Each structure stands twice: as C-alpha cells, then as structure tokens.
Amino acid sequence: MSVAAVSVASPSTVVAVPNKAAARPPTARVAFNVNGTAHDLELDTRTTLLDALREHLRLTGTKKGCDHGQCGACTVIVDGRRINSCLSLAVMHDGDMITTIEGLGLPGNLHPMQQAFVVHDGYQCGYCTPGQICSAVAVLDEIKAGIPSHVTADLTGAPTVTRPELRERMSGNICRCGAYSNIVDAIVDVAGGKA
Amino acid sequence: MKSFTFERVDSPAAATMAFTRTPGARFIAGGTNLLDLMKLEIETPGHLIDVSRLGLDKIEPTSDGGVRIGAMVRNTDLAADARIRRDYGLIARALVAGASGQLRNKATTAGNLLQRTRCPYFYDTNQPCNKRKPGSGCAAIAGFSRNHAIVGASDACIATHPSDMAVAMQVLDAAVETVDAAGETRSIGLADLYRAPGNTPQLETVLAPGELITAVTLPKPIGGTHIYHKVRDRASYAFALISVGVVVQRDGSGRVALGGVGYKPWRARSADAELPRGAKAATAVLLADAKATHENAYKLPLVERTLASVLAQAKG
Ligand SMILES: Cc1cc2nc3c(=O)[nH]c(=O)nc-3n(C[C@H](O)[C@H](O)[C@H](O)COP(=O)(O)OP(=O)(O)OC[C@H]3O[C@@H](n4cnc5c(N)ncnc54)[C@H](O)[C@@H]3O)c2cc1C
Ligand code: SF4
Ligand code: FES
Ligand code: FES
C-alpha cells in the first residue's frame, strides 16, 4: 500500500479499557476456535495463548517448558501454521482457528503422526511430544508449500523430505530425553518412508 | 508481567493516533521479542497497540525495479517469496538461519529489525545494565562478554544487535519507510536506523516515539552470488557468534556486512572496495577500530577466516 494514504484516519477498536476503580487488571474479550469448538473468553490481557488453552480451556496436552520461545513444548497450529503459544497473547488471536494435540487425534482415533510416534518410540518421558507432533505435522505442510530451510541447497527449487531437512526444520523443538532419531524416523514414515 | 490495556487497530493512521492518545504505549506485532521481555518486566508498557492486522503484509514491486516489503510480512513468508529467493537470496538465507520455524511464522519484518539485544545482563534484572537501567553500569564489560561487540561499542555498552535479516538487508542497501503521528512519512537508510550506544545505550534507533515502520524497501537486484554464513554454538536455533553476508560478482568485486560484531550490521564501502584483494584486506578495513575484551577477542580471527571461506565458496 502507499504510505501517503495513511493520513486518512479510521476509527480504532478499543478492545480493553483500564478499570482503575475496581483495581482489577484490565481484561479483553477474544473469540477463537479450538479444535472445532468456538470459544468466547474474557481474559486478563496478559494471558498467553498457552495459558488460555491450559488454564481456561483445560486443554493440558499443550505443555509449558521454558515459557520463552526456546523449547517448542508449547507448539500449536494456528490457521495452519505452527507457533509457540507461550510467546503469543491470547487476545491477539481473535477469529483464529487453533489446533492443539487434542485436536489432531485422541486415543482410539490417532492422527497418523501420533500413531507413527508410538510405532517408532518417538519419545521417552513424553513432555516435549505434543509440541513435537504439532510441529512435525506443520513441517510436512511447509515442505509441500515449498518454504525453504537453512539446509535447502537450491533456494529457487522445491525442497524435498530428507532427513537433514527434517532435522533442521524440527530444531525449534528440544527433547531433553534425546528421542531425536526416532522422531525423525516417525516423520519419515508419515511422509511416505522414502527419505 | 505488569498489567496493560490492549487495543487492536486496523490502519497505520489508527496505530499512530492510538499512540498519541496513550503515551507510553507500545506497538506489538509478532510479539516474539516484546512479550518475552514483558514477562521479565524488562519492558513494562501500560498499553499495547496490536499492529499485526494493518494490511501491511504484501511484497510488491517498486517503480525503480526494487521491492517494497510490508512491515508485517512474516519472516517465513519473506523467506519463501519467489522474487526474494531469486533476486535477493541473501535475505532468504539470513532469515532461515535465524530462530525456529515456529518463531519465523510469527516474527515480522519490522519486529525483526527492532528486536533488542540478547546480552545476558540485559536479561538479568539483578545485574547492572545501562541499556535496561540508564546509569546503573555495564556488567558485561568486565563480565561474561564472549558474545559481545568488537566494533562501535562504548564504555557504557558493548551489546550487539542480534538480527540475521538486518545483516542481509544492510548488504542490499535496504531502507525503512515510516509514518509518525502527524502523518509525516520518511525513508531511513538501514545504516542510519540504529544509533551508536555512546552514553545513551537505551536509545537504540532514530525512530521517534510512536513512529511506525510501514515497509522496508530494497533497490533493484544487483545479481551476483549471495552467501550468508552464520557461526553459532549449535547447528540450528541459536544466535550468531558472528555472521558474514556477501554478494560477490564474477569479477571478484562485491559487498560484505558482518553480524554479531556491533550494535548494527557492520558494513563499510571502503571494505567492499578491498574484497577483490581478499578476506585479509577487507577484514582489516572492517575491523580497523576493533576493540575486543579478553573473552571475545576470538571474533577477530573468526571474522577473517569466515570471510575467506565465504569468498572461496563464491568462486566455486
Ligand atoms: C528462542 C529465540 C531464538 C531466536 N533466534 C533468532 C536468531 O537466531 N536470529 C534472529 O535474527 N532472531 C532470532 N530471534 C528473534 C526473532 O527474530 C524476533 O523475536 C522477531 O523477529 C521479532 O519480531 P516480532 O514481530 O515478533 O516483534 P515484536 O516482539 O512484536 O516487536 C519487537 C519490537 O518492535 C516494535 N515494533 C513491531 N512492529 C513495529 C512497527 N511496525 N513499527 C514500529 N515498531 C514496531 C515493538 O514495539 C517492539 O519494540 C529469536 C527469538 C527467540 C525467542
Ligand atoms: S553490554 Fe549493554 S546491554 Fe549488556 S549489560 Fe552492558 S549496558 Fe547492558
Ligand atoms: S514453552 Fe513455549 S517455547 Fe518453551
Ligand atoms: S521425550 Fe522427554 S523431553 Fe522429549
């Protein structure tokens, strides 16, 4: 857009106002969809998406590791893209479609990626696993969409599913138990087992 | 985290006006840096203005053959854009060398440029830090300074700017377009965006309070071989110790900028001119006024060796 056009003012939406009289922390309304269910919440503005999922919606599959974007345990899929839910304010997700590990599949009806993690022993303690699985599902979509990674040799070509590509793309998910090689096996399996 | 009020705006004008109404407010885009710092109460804004839905999310050609990148274009989308990959490969390379897939999906072009230092004492609120608390001193200078600046630093602060993308943009002569509360727009060369620490390391850019970045522009493509080499403690998902971004032409001429060495991406035209004579000559110019601590002196030879390796790679 042209920057000259910005001098025309348009009204802004005030989502939260200070509530000094009651000395209660400011809140704001947010409506989003989690795993196919619509939610309309009134939240303390400080609430992260991670805390909204765990503390307010009781979806405790998504884990809190570091709370600072450094481990990937809190990875969820928002509008088809994986993000760290710990570094995102819930009130910034108005209208979004959010998928957590519970939305991918539940016992008895597992997502192929969940099933592959079981088959390949892609975990030990399991704490990082929901984040690993959400990330892995999105990684395969990112490769399909042609998004390059640090190890993609030809920037102008289409990336393919290789072990080095998967390792690099999964680097935002730390596993303290070191289940990495089995995690890569599980993802390769879901991708068609050719890597 | 300190409590704050929150407002979502849908145009740049509404964003700057919201700032005028609520001094002390901050813009929030991807939130991956600001929210991190708010959790630690290093940043304590009383009001947040959500600028993530301003429609500034397009990558468009400019009339002079370059591109204009909207301030809210996500790092993932910028790295994946076909034109950026073909004509400005250095930017795609620098982006995918940074952070993680999850973070790049949220991080924006403007937020990336304005991310704050990763100096560990800046993050530790129990330590003196002139950037966080002006006048309190700098714990890094006599402390753990392995990852700190070797050029452009002052006696008040030796922090580095952590962005990879900014290094690539510096090589490609990017400029930042802004609008302020009065509706005035301006374009600032990336080299002029960042302020040297001097005695006021808390002032990091020349942007006025409430001045909104709307876009980053790149001049028309310059061709050449684009290489971004980042040296870090682990193979992925780590900040740079140092990084070298180059565009090298067939005749050996080219451009170079360094990351992880100063308060901004480090580039000198006089160093570009030395590139045909090799890494030693160009490094001598880039690091002419270098001042290392006992812990980060390793960066001096590391820059020269990394540049030598990159130049050899460019020759093929
Ligand atoms: C674990 C981890 C690892 C990382 N590794 C790397 C790495 O290796 N390399 C690297 O380069 N980066 C790395 N990053 C940093 C990441 O790139 C930044 O956090 C991100 O780019 C910031 O963008 P954002 O949109 O989320 O910014 P925000 O957090 O939303 O904002 C950052 C700042 O910019 C201001 N701002 C935002 N938009 C505008 C605008 N339009 N106009 C004016 N001001 C604005 C905000 O007020 C704020 O002060 C890492 C981050 C984490 C958490
Ligand atoms: S180097 Fe700068 S940011 Fe780090 S402690 Fe010193 S003043 Fe603070
Ligand atoms: S809990 Fe979000 S990245 Fe660690
Ligand atoms: S399985 Fe224990 S942290 Fe990954």
Side-chain angles (χ1 to χ4, degrees):
Chain A
M1 72 171 280
S2 145
V3 275
V6 297
S7 56
V8 185
S10 80
S12 58
T13 354
V14 176
V15 184
V17 286
N19 190 349
K20 286 199 187 91
R24 285 218 328 268
T27 61
R29 285 200 88 80
V30 61
F32 47 59
N33 184 300
V34 183
N35 303 330
T37 306
H39 295 278
D40 193 336
L41 302 169
E42 174 91 27
L43 296 173
D44 183 320
T45 51
R46 292 171 290 186
T47 314
T48 59
L49 178 59
L50 174 60
D51 288 342
L53 292 169
R54 289 183 54 87
E55 312 297 331
H56 295 264
L57 302 179
R58 298 285 166 202
L59 289 167
T60 53
T62 308
K63 301 299 184 226
K64 184 183 286 189
C66 65
D67 215 19
H68 287 281
Q70 298 171 1
C71 77
C74 64
T75 303
V76 299
I77 302 171
V78 177
D79 293 336
R81 297 179 148 214
R82 56 183 171 140
I83 68 162
N84 300 118
S85 60
C86 71
L87 278 193
S88 197
L89 291 171
V91 292
M92 289 180 74
H93 287 281
D94 199 56
D96 286 355
M97 297 286 288
I98 298 153
T99 305
T100 68
I101 188 71
E102 294 93 341
L104 285 180
L106 293 168
N109 184 24
L110 294 183
H111 183 282
M113 193 65 78
Q114 291 169 317
Q115 188 61 46
F117 268 65
V118 173
V119 170
H120 291 276
D121 254 340
Y123 48 82
Q124 287 179 43
C125 76
Y127 196 79
C128 72
T129 314
Q132 299 278 1
I133 291 176
C134 286
S135 206
V137 167
V139 158
L140 293 182
D141 288 342
E142 286 166 15
I143 295 176
K144 248 184 236 143
I147 294 166
S149 87
H150 178 58
V151 300
T152 308
D154 176 11
L155 260 191
T156 54
T160 51
V161 179
T162 62
R163 282 170 191 274
E165 281 282 3
L166 295 176
R167 280 199 294 269
E168 162 59 25
R169 288 169 193 266
M170 290 296 292
S171 70
N173 292 85
I174 308 292
C175 176
R176 183 65 183 83
C177 298
Y180 297 112
S181 62
N182 291 0
I183 291 171
V184 173
D185 286 347
I187 306 173
V188 166
D189 194 354
V190 174
K194 286 186 284 289
Chain B
M1 204 187 316
K2 295 274 192 241
S3 63
F4 55 87
T5 50
F6 176 82
E7 167 176 20
R8 189 182 308 122
V9 292
D10 57 11
S11 74
T16 54
M17 272 172 31
F19 184 87
T20 317
R21 271 199 311 274
T22 44
R26 292 292 290 275
F27 300 131
I28 185 162
T32 60
N33 190 230
L34 185 55
L35 188 52
D36 199 1
L37 294 169
M38 284 169 63
K39 287 183 181 193
L40 300 165
E41 298 190 359
I42 294 163
E43 300 262 24
T44 53
H47 186 70
L48 282 187
I49 303 164
D50 176 358
V51 294
S52 65
R53 299 178 193 209
L54 297 185
L56 302 174
D57 55 358
K58 289 163 203 73
I59 304 170
E60 305 162 319
T62 56
S63 52
D64 65 359
V67 290
R68 172 177 288 107
I69 303 160
M72 292 302 128
V73 171
R74 305 285 170 178
N75 288 178
T76 298
D77 297 322
L78 186 56
D81 181 78
R83 178 202 276 262
I84 296 294
R85 284 155 76 175
R86 189 190 64 213
D87 296 337
Y88 305 95
L90 193 63
I91 291 182
R93 284 290 178 209
L95 282 166
V96 296
S100 67
Q102 290 96 313
L103 289 159
R104 294 191 296 269
N105 279 344
K106 274 264 121 195
T108 63
T109 307
N112 190 313
L113 290 177
L114 298 183
Q115 64 174 298
R116 306 196 68 190
T117 187
R118 307 303 287 205
C119 169
Y121 302 102
F122 175 70
Y123 268 78
D124 182 347
T125 49
N126 295 311
Q127 298 287 337
C129 168
N130 288 322
K131 189 187 277 300
R132 180 169 32 74
K133 195 164 178 249
S136 63
C138 170
I141 289 173
F144 181 72
S145 57
R146 176 172 175 266
N147 212 0
H148 287 73
I150 53 172
V151 284
S154 71
D155 291 341
C157 179
I158 59 169
T160 58
H161 192 271
S163 170
D164 291 296
M165 181 191 77
V167 177
M169 287 185 168
Q170 186 60 72
V171 173
L172 298 172
D173 286 336
V176 170
E177 290 186 346
T178 69
V179 60
D180 67 13
E184 295 289 328
T185 62
R186 62 169 171 158
S187 175
I188 308 162
L190 194 58
D192 302 320
L193 177 68
Y194 300 105
R195 294 170 77 129
N199 286 323
T200 52
Q202 72 278 16
L203 302 176
E204 293 170 352
T205 71
V206 299
L207 297 181
E211 189 171 357
L212 180 80
I213 296 181
T214 51
V216 171
T217 55
L218 298 172
K220 65 175 195 293
I222 57 168
T225 302
H226 293 217
I227 302 174
Y228 187 75
H229 192 114
K230 178 173 176 179
V231 183
R232 43 187 163 174
D233 283 332
R234 53 186 187 192
S236 186
Y237 201 21
F239 285 94
L241 296 170
I242 63 129
S243 68
V244 175
V246 297
V247 174
V248 184
Q249 306 294 343
R250 282 210 173 155
D251 62 5
S253 69
R255 302 176 182 185
V256 56
L258 306 176
V261 298
Y263 66 92
K264 65 174 182 179
W266 208 249
R267 181 167 173 219
R269 311 261 156 187
S270 47
D272 290 354
E274 292 296 323
L275 268 187
R277 277 175 284 283
K280 199 180 180 66
T283 306
V285 176
L286 279 166
L287 301 184
D289 299 316
K291 196 170 159 235
T293 67
H294 60 295
E295 284 202 346
N296 68 15
Y298 76 93
K299 290 191 178 186
L300 301 165
L302 187 58
V303 166
E304 186 183 320
R305 287 172 196 165
T306 309
L307 181 56
S309 135
V310 160
L311 292 178
Q313 194 189 332
K315 268 194 195 140

